[in-house]
Amino acid sequence: MKVLRLHEVRLMIARRKGPMAAVAAEVGWASSARFSRDFRRHFHRSPSEESKWMREHLGKPA
């Protein structure tokens, strides 16, 4: 379940759907610190690093 939620957050980040903490809470994380740790463990980047990478490599969302 956690992996599905992480991928959902990653899509939301790509679509720039609000601040990281709000996006994490929307898919079920009560703690933004826990979310950041889980995200980094799975994707090997922090959520903000992932957001920056997506903008650089995939362009700005439509």
Side-chain angles (χ1 to χ4, degrees):
M1 224 25 215
K2 185 189 307 185
V3 172
L4 291 174
R5 292 187 305 163
L6 285 167
H7 283 281
E8 180 65 23
V9 168
R10 189 169 185 249
L11 289 172
M12 294 168 88
I13 290 170
R15 295 181 191 124
R16 310 277 270 148
K17 191 177 177 186
M20 298 293 174
V23 170
E26 190 174 326
V27 294
W29 268 273
S31 164
S32 60
R34 181 66 191 183
F35 159 69
S36 292
R37 279 192 303 272
D38 290 342
F39 193 97
R40 182 179 287 278
R41 283 185 185 138
H42 188 74
F43 293 112
H44 307 287
R45 287 193 267 261
S46 71
S48 56
E49 290 169 342
E50 183 70 10
S51 177
K52 182 180 176 186
W53 185 91
M54 288 179 160
R55 282 193 310 276
E56 289 173 357
H57 293 88
L58 304 176
K60 293 183 181 181

